[in-house]
């Protein structure tokens, strides 16, 4: 009788330990996913801080390109007013900003003085580096989201996830216009 009770206690303790391990694994994956999103947020803020300087530097050279510059500022302001938990809208506006920045960078080809301006070149380099960091952060987020979602779907952690109401997170998607094959003309 004593051995049976001892075995039952050991089994119960073992099951509790497994449950706690699974729960903690889910929590860690969730926190890692949230942290990887915050890395995107940090890079978006960095880009938002650089945009006014780029716009001001460009204004003096490209006065008739005012519409493009105003669009970038409008999108930047729109991005800063999006609720922090609306990841889809944040990425949609962020993609629009990236497209607009490409247009501003292309302006430098039409304005040799702007292309030679050291402030513009430095800002262009900073923004290019930031865009690369945003891209890397998106990859990191999708990887951590995949790991987290995998835990939600696999046995036995899926049982613990259901009990505690863990929810899948959405992957960041590539903008449809970026998937199009570029047209090359000679």
């Amino acid at each position: 009788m004593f051995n049976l009770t001892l075995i039952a206690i050991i089994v119960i303790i073992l099951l509790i330990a497994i449950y706690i391990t699974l729960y903690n694994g889910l929590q860690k994956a969730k926190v890692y996913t949230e942290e990887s999103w915050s890395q995107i947020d940090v890079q978006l803020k960095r880009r938002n801080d650089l945009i006014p300087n780029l716009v001001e530097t460009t204004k003096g050279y490209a006065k008739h390109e005012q519409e493009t510059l105003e669009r970038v500022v409008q999108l930047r302001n729109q991005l800063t007013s999006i609720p922090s938990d609306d990841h889809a809208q944040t990425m949609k506006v962020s993609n629009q900003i990236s497209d607009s920045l490409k247009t501003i960078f292309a302006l430098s080809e039409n304005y040799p003085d702007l292309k030679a301006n050291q402030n513009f070149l430095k800002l262009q380099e900073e923004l290019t580096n930031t865009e690369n960091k945003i891209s890397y952060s998106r990859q990191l987020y999708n990887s951590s989201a995949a790991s987290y979602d995998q835990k939600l779907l696999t046995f036995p952690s899926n049982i613990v996830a259901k009990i505690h109401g863990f929810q899948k997170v959405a992957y960041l998607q590539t903008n449809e216009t970026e998937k199009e094959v570029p047209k090359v003309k000679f």
Side-chain angles (χ1 to χ4, degrees):
M1 185 70 172
F2 177 72
N3 286 340
L4 194 56
T5 307
L6 183 61
I7 291 173
I9 290 173
I10 291 173
V11 167
I12 290 171
I13 290 172
L14 187 60
L15 289 174
I16 290 172
I18 290 170
Y19 187 89
I20 290 170
T21 301
L22 292 171
Y23 178 80
N24 286 341
L26 287 165
Q27 286 291 6
K28 286 178 185 177
K30 181 180 175 188
V31 167
Y32 190 67
T33 301
E34 291 168 353
E35 188 270 337
S36 63
W37 173 259
S38 74
Q39 291 300 321
I40 293 171
D41 209 31
V42 165
Q43 296 307 323
L44 293 178
K45 181 182 180 335
R46 175 179 158 80
R47 180 177 64 188
N48 287 345
D49 291 345
L50 291 169
I51 286 173
N53 295 330
L54 179 73
V55 169
E56 285 304 313
T57 302
T58 308
K59 270 183 186 177
Y61 292 95
K63 290 188 181 358
H64 67 280
E65 306 287 354
Q66 198 67 26
E67 184 179 309
T68 302
L69 300 173
E70 287 172 1
R71 175 80 175 139
V72 171
V73 172
Q74 175 194 17
L75 288 169
R76 176 193 176 269
N77 293 338
Q78 184 179 347
L79 185 64
T80 60
S81 66
I82 296 172
S84 61
D85 61 342
D86 191 348
H87 297 182
Q89 185 65 21
T90 298
M91 293 318 304
K92 179 181 175 188
V93 174
S94 174
N95 289 337
Q96 291 172 347
I97 289 174
S98 293
D99 291 343
S100 296
L101 287 174
K102 289 175 190 172
T103 303
I104 289 178
F105 293 160
L107 287 177
S108 67
E109 297 301 319
N110 297 333
Y111 300 93
D113 290 343
L114 177 60
K115 192 174 181 179
N117 181 293
Q118 291 302 314
N119 287 338
F120 179 82
L121 294 175
K122 184 170 175 19
L123 288 167
Q124 184 178 20
E125 182 180 337
E126 289 279 333
L127 281 164
T128 300
N129 289 339
T130 301
E131 289 294 323
N132 290 337
K133 289 176 183 177
I134 291 169
S135 178
Y136 171 77
S137 296
R138 287 179 180 184
Q139 292 171 353
L140 176 63
Y141 174 82
N142 279 345
S143 294
S144 60
S147 176
Y148 172 69
D149 287 348
Q150 181 182 17
K151 288 178 183 280
L152 296 180
L153 297 173
T154 56
F155 180 82
S157 59
N158 64 339
I159 296 169
V160 176
K162 263 188 189 138
I163 291 170
H164 292 282
F166 286 88
Q167 299 292 319
K168 283 182 73 174
V169 293
Y171 296 113
L172 299 176
Q173 302 294 321
T174 301
N175 189 346
E176 288 302 316
T177 57
E178 292 179 16
K179 292 181 183 179
E180 295 174 3
V181 176
K183 295 178 176 107
V184 179
K185 292 183 182 179
F186 292 102

